[in-house]
Amino acid sequence: ATISFSGTPNATVGYTINGGPRQPVLLNAAGTATVNTGNLTADTTYALVDVTAGTVPNCVQTVSGSAIVTVVQTPTVTTDPISQPLCSGQSTGIRLNGTVPNTTFTWTYTQTGGVTGASNGSGNIISQVLTAGTTTGTVTYTITPAVGSCIGNPTTVTVTVNPIPVVSTNVTAQSICTGGSTNITMSSTTANTTFMWNVVALGGATGAQDGTGTSINQVLTASGTIVGQVVYNITPVNNGCYGTPKTVTVTVYPKPIIKASPDSATLCSGEKTNIVLISNVPNTVFTWTVLPNGVSGAASGTGSSISQTLTTAGFTPGTVLYTITPTVNGCPGDQITVLVKVNPTPEIFSSAMPPPICSGDSSGIVVFPNISGTSISWTVVENGVTGASDGSGSETTPGGGIPINQNLETTGNAQGTATYTIIPMNNGCAGRAITVVVRVNPTPKTDIKDGLVCIDATTGALIYGYEMNTGLSEANYDFQWYFGNNMNEVIATTSSYTATQPGMYTVSIMNSTTGCSDVFMIEVKASNPATSATAVVTNYFEDTQAITVT
């Protein structure tokens, strides 16, 4: 600062500083002079003492008056804080303080990294909302203190503005099988972002843990038969700035356990399987493959039951091995196998209409099976026949067939039938039934009583013979008569014959159409006429009388 003096030209002005010693200052020809105060540290008073003329006789005149130099301290500024990190979208809060009363503050700014929101201003606090892009930027505030026209040294405050990170995940939902690992990766467009997560486990899922990193690889396990879930809440962090959390839900499917009912089976050729598949986990899908051996009709497939018509390719048993896999939402369980044995269906062969037999003969049926070890059972319907009955049998000699031998007799004089329905059976498998009709022709019937021939006891002459009449037509029957034990000599071929001597007569009668025959024996005895007779009458006078002849 300077103190200006004015007065008579070339005069000398005396003054004091803060009442100190008198000090002179010479006015120039214009009547002015200045004194430099130098660096003052406190208020200083410059007081006039006198003026001495610059010409002889150098008169001195006492004068008064003073000038006070007020010393103002250089203002300074302190900031709180001296630097500041922010997250994008937050407000600065820089408080400005000075040591000199009435200090005012103004600021300007510079920015880097695309930060927006800063502006020049004045005041005791810098409160501005700053926004960054995807990279970290800065705003540098240059703050100048002032008290009146006294301006202090400026100071700077740098605000670092960090972007709010955004997390991206490779999945928003994921399904895994129990015992499988999650595969969640995180990324952000903001460099150096880190990620932290917490977990919420539902449905008994285990294995999930809170953590940090750029990927989540955790082995999760479902509890029992329940579908579990783990919810990961993932938060991105960049330089202490937290982004909006993102949720990834992992569904954990339990391992299905399959049960087949039945777990093995034996079928007859041409029958259907009925394998019901169940699982401990709802919505299980079942698939199967097949390995047939000597069987046709088996095929790979999918479903909750296996219903397939299986047929043996030959005369020996075959098998089908079903390998079944349970799957729930792509999660396979352990495979099981079901073995199905398929027995061939037996067939039998015989004449459906064998030649007729005669009453009393055996049915004579022989059934031939196509598979060794086959047995048969039969039912029979009689029509005008007796002797037939239901039954069963088996082959005793391989290849020899199975006989049905029953002696059948007609119940009348007309042809009867016995209808056999025969079913083959092998290893519990019944084959197609066949029907065999046995026709039974009646044998000839006659009723010739034993008789007498009358012989004269004295002369031995025949008085009369005994006629043996069959009552049958010679047009339909053939006759052969024999006497005694001589069955080599035919004594007659007529339908009747008259015995002339006592003895045993045999007649063989054959139906000339059916060939059915029968043999009848008639005993003829000798009888002699009486030579005298006596009659005795009793009970003459009774209503009933008796006459005895001897």
Side-chain angles (χ1 to χ4, degrees), residues 263-307:
D263 55 9
S264 64
T266 300
L267 301 180
C268 299
S269 181
E271 289 183 340
K272 273 188 176 183
T273 60
N274 184 25
I275 304 169
V276 178
L277 308 175
I278 57 176
S279 170
N280 61 332
V281 181
N283 302 317
T284 297
V285 175
F286 306 97
T287 58
W288 62 83
T289 58
V290 296
L291 181 62
N293 180 18
V295 173
S296 63
S300 301
T302 182
S304 58
S305 64
I306 305 176
S307 179

Short mmCIF file of all heavy atoms in Angstrom, two decimals, residues 263-307:
data_model
loop_
_atom_site.label_atom_id
_atom_site.label_comp_id
_atom_site.label_asym_id
_atom_site.label_seq_id
_atom_site.Cartn_x
_atom_site.Cartn_y
_atom_site.Cartn_z
N ASP A 263 -41.46 -107.14 -11.95
CA ASP A 263 -40.06 -106.93 -12.31
C ASP A 263 -39.52 -108.04 -13.19
O ASP A 263 -38.37 -107.98 -13.63
CB ASP A 263 -39.20 -106.76 -11.07
CG ASP A 263 -39.33 -107.94 -10.10
OD1 ASP A 263 -39.96 -108.95 -10.47
OD2 ASP A 263 -38.82 -107.83 -8.97
N SER A 264 -40.33 -109.05 -13.44
CA SER A 264 -40.04 -110.08 -14.44
C SER A 264 -41.37 -110.74 -14.78
O SER A 264 -42.34 -110.61 -14.02
CB SER A 264 -39.03 -111.11 -13.92
OG SER A 264 -39.58 -111.83 -12.82
N ALA A 265 -41.42 -111.40 -15.91
CA ALA A 265 -42.69 -111.98 -16.33
C ALA A 265 -42.44 -113.18 -17.24
O ALA A 265 -41.40 -113.28 -17.89
CB ALA A 265 -43.56 -110.94 -17.04
N THR A 266 -43.42 -114.07 -17.24
CA THR A 266 -43.43 -115.19 -18.17
C THR A 266 -44.75 -115.14 -18.93
O THR A 266 -45.82 -115.09 -18.33
CB THR A 266 -43.29 -116.53 -17.43
OG1 THR A 266 -42.06 -116.54 -16.71
CG2 THR A 266 -43.32 -117.69 -18.42
N LEU A 267 -44.65 -115.12 -20.26
CA LEU A 267 -45.83 -115.02 -21.12
C LEU A 267 -45.90 -116.22 -22.04
O LEU A 267 -44.91 -116.93 -22.24
CB LEU A 267 -45.78 -113.75 -21.97
CG LEU A 267 -45.70 -112.39 -21.27
CD1 LEU A 267 -45.67 -111.29 -22.32
CD2 LEU A 267 -46.88 -112.20 -20.34
N CYS A 268 -47.07 -116.37 -22.60
CA CYS A 268 -47.25 -117.32 -23.68
C CYS A 268 -47.18 -116.56 -25.00
O CYS A 268 -47.58 -115.39 -25.08
CB CYS A 268 -48.60 -118.04 -23.56
SG CYS A 268 -48.76 -119.00 -22.03
N SER A 269 -46.67 -117.21 -26.00
CA SER A 269 -46.56 -116.57 -27.31
C SER A 269 -47.91 -116.01 -27.74
O SER A 269 -48.94 -116.68 -27.66
CB SER A 269 -46.06 -117.58 -28.34
OG SER A 269 -45.91 -117.00 -29.60
N GLY A 270 -47.87 -114.72 -28.18
CA GLY A 270 -49.11 -114.07 -28.61
C GLY A 270 -49.76 -113.25 -27.52
O GLY A 270 -50.72 -112.53 -27.79
N GLU A 271 -49.24 -113.34 -26.28
CA GLU A 271 -49.81 -112.54 -25.19
C GLU A 271 -49.10 -111.20 -25.11
O GLU A 271 -48.01 -110.99 -25.64
CB GLU A 271 -49.68 -113.28 -23.86
CG GLU A 271 -50.58 -114.49 -23.73
CD GLU A 271 -50.49 -115.15 -22.37
OE1 GLU A 271 -49.48 -114.92 -21.66
OE2 GLU A 271 -51.42 -115.89 -22.02
N LYS A 272 -49.76 -110.25 -24.39
CA LYS A 272 -49.23 -108.91 -24.23
C LYS A 272 -48.51 -108.77 -22.88
O LYS A 272 -48.95 -109.32 -21.88
CB LYS A 272 -50.35 -107.86 -24.28
CG LYS A 272 -50.70 -107.39 -25.67
CD LYS A 272 -51.67 -106.21 -25.58
CE LYS A 272 -51.96 -105.65 -26.96
NZ LYS A 272 -52.85 -104.46 -26.89
N THR A 273 -47.42 -108.01 -22.93
CA THR A 273 -46.81 -107.61 -21.66
C THR A 273 -47.70 -106.58 -20.98
O THR A 273 -48.49 -105.89 -21.62
CB THR A 273 -45.43 -106.97 -21.90
OG1 THR A 273 -45.59 -105.83 -22.74
CG2 THR A 273 -44.48 -107.96 -22.57
N ASN A 274 -47.58 -106.50 -19.68
CA ASN A 274 -48.30 -105.47 -18.91
C ASN A 274 -47.39 -105.02 -17.78
O ASN A 274 -47.62 -105.32 -16.60
CB ASN A 274 -49.62 -106.03 -18.37
CG ASN A 274 -50.43 -104.96 -17.66
OD1 ASN A 274 -50.27 -103.78 -17.93
ND2 ASN A 274 -51.27 -105.37 -16.73
N ILE A 275 -46.34 -104.30 -18.17
CA ILE A 275 -45.33 -103.84 -17.21
C ILE A 275 -45.64 -102.39 -16.88
O ILE A 275 -45.55 -101.51 -17.73
CB ILE A 275 -43.92 -103.98 -17.80
CG1 ILE A 275 -43.67 -105.44 -18.23
CG2 ILE A 275 -42.87 -103.52 -16.79
CD1 ILE A 275 -42.41 -105.61 -19.04
N VAL A 276 -46.03 -102.14 -15.64
CA VAL A 276 -46.38 -100.79 -15.19
C VAL A 276 -45.14 -100.16 -14.55
O VAL A 276 -44.49 -100.77 -13.69
CB VAL A 276 -47.54 -100.83 -14.19
CG1 VAL A 276 -47.86 -99.43 -13.70
CG2 VAL A 276 -48.77 -101.45 -14.85
N LEU A 277 -44.82 -98.93 -14.99
CA LEU A 277 -43.63 -98.24 -14.52
C LEU A 277 -44.03 -97.08 -13.61
O LEU A 277 -44.89 -96.27 -13.97
CB LEU A 277 -42.83 -97.71 -15.72
CG LEU A 277 -42.50 -98.76 -16.80
CD1 LEU A 277 -41.81 -98.09 -17.98
CD2 LEU A 277 -41.65 -99.88 -16.23
N ILE A 278 -43.43 -97.03 -12.44
CA ILE A 278 -43.72 -95.94 -11.50
C ILE A 278 -42.40 -95.37 -11.00
O ILE A 278 -41.36 -96.03 -11.05
CB ILE A 278 -44.59 -96.41 -10.31
CG1 ILE A 278 -43.91 -97.59 -9.57
CG2 ILE A 278 -45.97 -96.83 -10.79
CD1 ILE A 278 -44.66 -98.03 -8.35
N SER A 279 -42.46 -94.11 -10.52
CA SER A 279 -41.27 -93.43 -10.03
C SER A 279 -41.62 -92.68 -8.75
O SER A 279 -42.78 -92.34 -8.51
CB SER A 279 -40.74 -92.45 -11.09
OG SER A 279 -39.73 -91.62 -10.55
N ASN A 280 -40.59 -92.41 -7.97
CA ASN A 280 -40.79 -91.64 -6.74
C ASN A 280 -40.89 -90.15 -7.01
O ASN A 280 -41.18 -89.37 -6.10
CB ASN A 280 -39.64 -91.90 -5.77
CG ASN A 280 -38.29 -91.47 -6.34
OD1 ASN A 280 -38.10 -91.46 -7.56
ND2 ASN A 280 -37.36 -91.13 -5.49
N VAL A 281 -40.65 -89.72 -8.25
CA VAL A 281 -40.69 -88.30 -8.60
C VAL A 281 -41.81 -88.08 -9.62
O VAL A 281 -41.86 -88.76 -10.64
CB VAL A 281 -39.35 -87.84 -9.19
CG1 VAL A 281 -39.40 -86.35 -9.52
CG2 VAL A 281 -38.22 -88.12 -8.20
N PRO A 282 -42.71 -87.12 -9.36
CA PRO A 282 -43.78 -86.86 -10.32
C PRO A 282 -43.22 -86.44 -11.68
O PRO A 282 -42.12 -85.90 -11.79
CB PRO A 282 -44.58 -85.72 -9.67
CG PRO A 282 -44.25 -85.80 -8.21
CD PRO A 282 -42.85 -86.29 -8.14
N ASN A 283 -44.03 -86.72 -12.73
CA ASN A 283 -43.72 -86.31 -14.10
C ASN A 283 -42.47 -87.00 -14.66
O ASN A 283 -41.81 -86.47 -15.57
CB ASN A 283 -43.57 -84.79 -14.21
CG ASN A 283 -44.82 -84.06 -13.75
OD1 ASN A 283 -45.93 -84.44 -14.08
ND2 ASN A 283 -44.64 -83.01 -12.97
N THR A 284 -42.14 -88.16 -14.11
CA THR A 284 -41.01 -88.91 -14.66
C THR A 284 -41.39 -89.48 -16.03
O THR A 284 -42.50 -89.97 -16.23
CB THR A 284 -40.62 -90.05 -13.71
OG1 THR A 284 -40.17 -89.50 -12.47
CG2 THR A 284 -39.50 -90.90 -14.30
N VAL A 285 -40.47 -89.40 -16.95
CA VAL A 285 -40.64 -89.98 -18.29
C VAL A 285 -39.81 -91.26 -18.36
O VAL A 285 -38.65 -91.27 -17.94
CB VAL A 285 -40.21 -88.99 -19.39
CG1 VAL A 285 -40.29 -89.64 -20.76
CG2 VAL A 285 -41.08 -87.75 -19.35
N PHE A 286 -40.41 -92.33 -18.88
CA PHE A 286 -39.73 -93.61 -18.95
C PHE A 286 -39.45 -93.94 -20.42
O PHE A 286 -40.34 -93.85 -21.27
CB PHE A 286 -40.58 -94.72 -18.33
CG PHE A 286 -41.02 -94.43 -16.93
CD1 PHE A 286 -42.28 -93.89 -16.67
CD2 PHE A 286 -40.18 -94.67 -15.87
CE1 PHE A 286 -42.70 -93.61 -15.38
CE2 PHE A 286 -40.58 -94.40 -14.56
CZ PHE A 286 -41.84 -93.87 -14.32
N THR A 287 -38.23 -94.34 -20.71
CA THR A 287 -37.88 -94.84 -22.03
C THR A 287 -37.22 -96.20 -21.87
O THR A 287 -36.63 -96.50 -20.82
CB THR A 287 -36.91 -93.88 -22.75
OG1 THR A 287 -35.73 -93.72 -21.95
CG2 THR A 287 -37.56 -92.53 -22.99
N TRP A 288 -37.34 -97.01 -22.90
CA TRP A 288 -36.75 -98.35 -22.80
C TRP A 288 -36.19 -98.78 -24.15
O TRP A 288 -36.63 -98.34 -25.21
CB TRP A 288 -37.76 -99.37 -22.28
CG TRP A 288 -38.96 -99.58 -23.15
CD1 TRP A 288 -39.07 -100.38 -24.25
CD2 TRP A 288 -40.24 -98.93 -23.01
NE1 TRP A 288 -40.33 -100.29 -24.79
CE2 TRP A 288 -41.07 -99.41 -24.04
CE3 TRP A 288 -40.74 -98.01 -22.08
CZ2 TRP A 288 -42.39 -98.99 -24.18
CZ3 TRP A 288 -42.07 -97.60 -22.24
CH2 TRP A 288 -42.86 -98.09 -23.28
N THR A 289 -35.21 -99.66 -24.05
CA THR A 289 -34.67 -100.35 -25.21
C THR A 289 -34.91 -101.84 -25.01
O THR A 289 -35.18 -102.30 -23.88
CB THR A 289 -33.17 -100.07 -25.39
OG1 THR A 289 -32.48 -100.49 -24.19
CG2 THR A 289 -32.93 -98.58 -25.60
N VAL A 290 -34.82 -102.60 -26.11
CA VAL A 290 -35.14 -104.02 -26.02
C VAL A 290 -33.99 -104.85 -26.60
O VAL A 290 -33.27 -104.42 -27.51
CB VAL A 290 -36.44 -104.36 -26.78
CG1 VAL A 290 -37.62 -103.66 -26.14
CG2 VAL A 290 -36.34 -103.97 -28.25
N LEU A 291 -33.82 -106.03 -26.03
CA LEU A 291 -32.89 -107.02 -26.55
C LEU A 291 -33.64 -108.34 -26.66
O LEU A 291 -33.74 -109.10 -25.71
CB LEU A 291 -31.68 -107.16 -25.61
CG LEU A 291 -30.61 -108.17 -26.06
CD1 LEU A 291 -30.00 -107.74 -27.40
CD2 LEU A 291 -29.52 -108.29 -25.00
N PRO A 292 -34.24 -108.61 -27.86
CA PRO A 292 -35.01 -109.83 -28.02
C PRO A 292 -34.12 -111.02 -28.36
O PRO A 292 -33.08 -110.86 -29.01
CB PRO A 292 -35.96 -109.48 -29.18
CG PRO A 292 -35.22 -108.48 -29.99
CD PRO A 292 -34.33 -107.72 -29.03
N ASN A 293 -34.53 -112.18 -27.95
CA ASN A 293 -33.83 -113.42 -28.27
C ASN A 293 -34.87 -114.46 -28.63
O ASN A 293 -35.52 -115.04 -27.76
CB ASN A 293 -32.98 -113.88 -27.09
CG ASN A 293 -32.23 -115.18 -27.38
OD1 ASN A 293 -32.07 -115.56 -28.53
ND2 ASN A 293 -31.78 -115.85 -26.33
N GLY A 294 -35.05 -114.67 -29.94
CA GLY A 294 -36.03 -115.65 -30.40
C GLY A 294 -37.46 -115.19 -30.24
O GLY A 294 -38.37 -116.02 -30.19
N VAL A 295 -37.66 -113.88 -30.16
CA VAL A 295 -39.00 -113.33 -29.95
C VAL A 295 -39.18 -112.14 -30.89
O VAL A 295 -38.25 -111.34 -31.09
CB VAL A 295 -39.19 -112.86 -28.48
CG1 VAL A 295 -40.52 -112.14 -28.31
CG2 VAL A 295 -39.12 -114.05 -27.54
N SER A 296 -40.35 -112.01 -31.45
CA SER A 296 -40.69 -110.84 -32.25
C SER A 296 -41.79 -110.05 -31.54
O SER A 296 -42.50 -110.58 -30.69
CB SER A 296 -41.16 -111.25 -33.65
OG SER A 296 -42.35 -112.03 -33.56
N GLY A 297 -41.92 -108.76 -31.93
CA GLY A 297 -42.96 -107.92 -31.35
C GLY A 297 -42.46 -106.92 -30.34
O GLY A 297 -43.18 -106.01 -29.95
N ALA A 298 -41.21 -107.07 -29.88
CA ALA A 298 -40.65 -106.13 -28.90
C ALA A 298 -40.05 -104.93 -29.62
O ALA A 298 -39.42 -105.08 -30.68
CB ALA A 298 -39.58 -106.82 -28.05
N ALA A 299 -40.27 -103.74 -29.06
CA ALA A 299 -39.75 -102.52 -29.68
C ALA A 299 -39.41 -101.51 -28.60
O ALA A 299 -40.05 -101.46 -27.55
CB ALA A 299 -40.77 -101.92 -30.66
N SER A 300 -38.37 -100.70 -28.86
CA SER A 300 -38.03 -99.62 -27.95
C SER A 300 -39.17 -98.61 -27.92
O SER A 300 -39.93 -98.48 -28.90
CB SER A 300 -36.73 -98.93 -28.39
OG SER A 300 -35.66 -99.86 -28.42
N GLY A 301 -39.29 -97.89 -26.81
CA GLY A 301 -40.40 -96.94 -26.72
C GLY A 301 -40.32 -96.08 -25.48
O GLY A 301 -39.31 -96.05 -24.77
N THR A 302 -41.40 -95.38 -25.25
CA THR A 302 -41.51 -94.50 -24.09
C THR A 302 -42.95 -94.52 -23.60
O THR A 302 -43.88 -94.76 -24.37
CB THR A 302 -41.09 -93.05 -24.46
OG1 THR A 302 -41.19 -92.23 -23.29
CG2 THR A 302 -41.98 -92.49 -25.54
N GLY A 303 -43.13 -94.29 -22.30
CA GLY A 303 -44.47 -94.31 -21.72
C GLY A 303 -44.42 -94.77 -20.29
O GLY A 303 -43.36 -95.05 -19.73
N SER A 304 -45.59 -94.87 -19.69
CA SER A 304 -45.67 -95.28 -18.29
C SER A 304 -45.96 -96.76 -18.14
O SER A 304 -46.06 -97.27 -17.03
CB SER A 304 -46.76 -94.47 -17.57
OG SER A 304 -48.01 -94.65 -18.20
N SER A 305 -46.13 -97.46 -19.26
CA SER A 305 -46.31 -98.91 -19.20
C SER A 305 -45.82 -99.50 -20.52
O SER A 305 -45.78 -98.83 -21.55
CB SER A 305 -47.78 -99.29 -18.96
OG SER A 305 -48.59 -98.87 -20.06
N ILE A 306 -45.44 -100.77 -20.45
CA ILE A 306 -44.99 -101.48 -21.63
C ILE A 306 -46.03 -102.54 -21.96
O ILE A 306 -46.22 -103.49 -21.20
CB ILE A 306 -43.61 -102.13 -21.40
CG1 ILE A 306 -42.60 -101.08 -20.95
CG2 ILE A 306 -43.13 -102.82 -22.67
CD1 ILE A 306 -41.23 -101.65 -20.61
N SER A 307 -46.72 -102.34 -23.07
CA SER A 307 -47.77 -103.27 -23.50
C SER A 307 -47.46 -103.66 -24.94
O SER A 307 -47.76 -102.91 -25.87
CB SER A 307 -49.15 -102.61 -23.39
OG SER A 307 -50.16 -103.50 -23.82
#
